[in-house]
């Protein structure tokens, strides 16, 4: 079980729980087709953002396998939300997790997501005791692949047309990192 002491601070960022007042900013960046192009979800609209933000607000701890921790990535001085990162506790028995993230397009290209996701790897390995954390992505999502590679994750699989997403067959890449590899790199 992991109940992080929020907010978390990294070198340049504050990672905090989402609140209902983040609805507009989440609607803004996760409402853009270019942000959700390689995600399973459609861009949020005024209707779909409501249950989404309700879910995000509750994702503050990993109490049981299946839980998701999802945090707003913010700038310390302004409080501006630059994106979000998440850690999904996918298996208790096998001590597995999965990371995910999305950035506001106004704040990409600065390494914020990599920095925030690194903190989630730390929580997953050191806080929750996970053995392995994966990142799964559409194989065309090269910006996301670069994030995972900067985190030191290894591309372990290229699945050919394993899913039918948004009207087309898509390839999937699976990246992974083991706890001992994380510790050796630290
Ligand atoms: C995937 C996504 C989060 C990547 O965003 P990003 O801004 O490239 O990622 P980061 O915040 O880690 O920034 C890294 C970039 O900043 C640059 N950068 C600048 N300063 C940096 C610093 N101090 N540290 C690290 N990188 C820095 C890096 O060189 C890198 O650019 P490059 O990949 O062109 O070399 C973004 O494209 C996105 O939100 N996509 C839509 C949602 C999505 O697909 N999510 C992933 C689902 S699997």
């Amino acid at each position: 079980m992991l109940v992080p002491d929020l907010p978390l601070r990294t070198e340049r960022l504050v990672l905090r729980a989402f609140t209902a007042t983040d609805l507009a900013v989440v609607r803004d960046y996760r409402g853009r087709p270019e942000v959700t192009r390689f995600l399973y979800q459609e861009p949020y609209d005024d209707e779909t953002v409501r249950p989404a933000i309700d879910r995000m607000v509750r994702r503050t701890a990993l109490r049981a396998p299946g839980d998701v921790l999802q945090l707003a990535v913010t700038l310390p001085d302004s409080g501006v939300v630059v994106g979000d990162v998440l850690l999904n506790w996918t298996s208790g028995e096998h001590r597995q997790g999965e990371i995910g993230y999305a950035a506001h397009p106004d704040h990409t290209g600065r390494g914020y997501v990599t920095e925030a996701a690194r903190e989630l790897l730390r929580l997953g390995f050191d806080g929750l005791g996970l053995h392995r954390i994966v990142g799964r992505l559409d194989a065309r999502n090269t910006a996301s692949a670069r994030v995972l590679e900067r985190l030191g994750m290894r591309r372990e699989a290229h699945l050919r047309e394993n899913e039918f997403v948004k009207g087309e067959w898509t390839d999937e890449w699976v990246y992974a990192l083991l706890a001992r590899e994380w510790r050796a790199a630290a």
Side-chain angles (χ1 to χ4, degrees), residues 12 34-36 38-39 101-104 107-115 136-138 141 143-144 146-147 150:
R12 298 177 295 167
E34 73 266 31
V35 171
T36 60
F38 298 127
L39 306 183
Y101 37 76
H104 192 303
H107 303 284
T108 53
R110 295 180 179 88
Y112 291 151
V113 168
T114 301
E115 185 173 320
R136 299 184 306 127
L137 64 161
D138 187 308
N141 197 348
S144 179
R146 287 199 297 275
V147 170
R150 270 192 297 277

Side-chain angles (χ1 to χ4, degrees), residues 17-22 51-60 70:
F18 275 100
T19 71
T21 58
D22 294 317
I53 197 85
D54 288 348
R55 215 166 37 237
M56 292 162 86
V57 164
R58 291 195 302 269
R59 290 177 160 178
T60 56
Q70 188 167 19

Side-chain angles (χ1 to χ4, degrees), residues 64-82:
D67 282 356
V68 176
L69 174 67
Q70 188 167 19
L71 300 175
V73 181
T74 70
L75 300 180
D77 293 340
S78 60
V80 163
V81 175
V82 299

Side-chain angles (χ1 to χ4, degrees), residues 69-106:
L69 174 67
Q70 188 167 19
L71 300 175
V73 181
T74 70
L75 300 180
D77 293 340
S78 60
V80 163
V81 175
V82 299
D84 62 84
V85 287
L86 64 84
L87 176 64
N88 183 353
W89 186 4
T90 52
S91 168
E93 182 185 4
H94 305 292
R95 289 161 47 208
Q96 306 282 309
E98 177 177 345
I99 56 166
Y101 37 76
H104 192 303
D106 289 353

